[in-house]
Amino acid sequence: MASAQKVKPVVKRLGRPPDTSSVQTRERILVVAREMFSVHGYEITTNRDIATAVGITPGALYHYFGSKLALYLAVHEDTQSQVYEQFTKAIIGHETFIGQFEAVLDIAHEMNIEDASVARFIGAVRVDSGRHPDMAAALSTHVRQREGFFAVMIDLGIKRGEIAQENRLVVQAYLLTVLMGLTDAVSEDHELQKRAIQGIKMAMRGQLVKTS
């Protein structure tokens, strides 16, 4: 996993934060934690590391999140919420399966340019959850959220005749593999990811390879 720029710690150190700054501090913790988890992984990253980078004491961090696993799960939920909010907005106005999926690919690329830690973290989660069964069990709800989102898209494709009913599971596996590849294989190189997305679109439309 490629290195990212080191998160600069905030100079001012905080104890238990006042109520007026609680929301902002929590958001800052989630952003910093996502960056650190995405680069170093769950096992190596410590709450003390995160607290230092945020500019608060470890005790203040525990005021928001009672354990490292609780923080990790909160980061994951926050990240998933951002991703699927953007996906949902992106497909509005697109009335075909291909149109919706291409819109998802485009917004995923834009999100990666804006904040590369999102894709890195999603890729890291697959590694971390594979090593920690309790984490994997806690994340199962989000797996169902992802499957549900794309199931609706596939249903649209079947209804419009773009996808044969018997190919539902094949298409589902294809979408999952494509999205995993975009986060794991090419997220660090924006131009490479852009070309990969272009190739996926061409493949979906039967324009990438000649069959005769």
Side-chain angles (χ1 to χ4, degrees):
M1 192 176 293
S3 298
Q5 291 183 345
K6 186 177 181 181
V7 178
K8 295 181 180 179
V10 177
V11 175
K12 182 179 179 181
R13 296 187 64 81
L14 305 172
R16 183 184 177 94
D19 291 340
T20 53
S21 66
S22 291
V23 173
Q24 293 89 338
T25 302
R26 187 180 189 277
E27 290 176 352
R28 170 68 174 158
I29 292 170
L30 292 174
V31 170
V32 170
R34 182 173 66 216
E35 176 69 19
M36 298 189 76
F37 283 136
S38 75
V39 174
H40 305 296
Y42 178 76
E43 293 181 359
I44 294 178
T45 303
T46 67
N47 278 6
R48 181 174 294 276
D49 293 334
I50 295 169
T52 299
V54 173
I56 61 177
T57 65
L61 183 64
Y62 281 106
H63 168 69
Y64 293 96
F65 305 99
S67 67
K68 185 168 74 169
L69 178 58
L71 173 55
Y72 193 93
L73 295 178
V75 171
H76 187 269
E77 182 167 350
D78 181 67
T79 302
Q80 291 291 105
S81 177
Q82 291 182 43
V83 167
Y84 284 95
E85 180 180 358
Q86 292 301 313
F87 281 4
T88 300
K89 288 180 180 178
I91 66 175
I92 293 175
H94 296 278
E95 299 180 353
T96 65
F97 165 79
I98 288 182
Q100 289 190 357
F101 187 53
E102 289 184 344
V104 165
L105 294 175
D106 289 338
I107 195 63
H109 182 58
E110 292 177 18
M111 292 172 64
N112 188 46
I113 293 174
E114 182 177 343
D115 185 353
S117 73
V118 172
R120 281 201 309 270
F121 178 75
I122 292 173
V125 167
R126 286 191 279 272
V127 177
D128 291 331
S129 61
R131 295 171 176 169
H132 301 276
D134 54 339
M135 179 189 295
L139 295 176
S140 61
T141 300
H142 297 292
V143 173
R144 290 194 293 272
Q145 177 190 24
R146 180 192 66 207
E147 292 176 348
F149 177 84
F150 288 106
V152 172
M153 192 180 297
I154 294 171
D155 285 341
L156 174 64
I158 292 173
K159 181 178 179 181
R160 291 184 53 85
E162 297 172 273
I163 301 170
Q165 176 67 46
E166 60 269 23
N167 289 336
R168 164 182 283 279
L169 295 181
V170 174
V171 174
Q172 184 179 36
Y174 174 78
L175 298 186
L176 176 61
T177 302
V178 164
L179 294 173
M180 287 176 62
L182 289 178
T183 55
D184 291 353
V186 297
S187 64
E188 294 295 335
D189 187 326
H190 295 158
E191 286 302 314
L192 179 58
Q193 187 183 64
K194 183 177 180 179
R195 290 197 298 273
I197 288 173
Q198 182 182 4
I200 294 165
K201 290 180 178 179
M202 292 175 67
M204 292 285 288
R205 293 180 177 274
Q207 300 169 343
L208 188 62
V209 178
K210 293 183 178 181
T211 58
S212 59

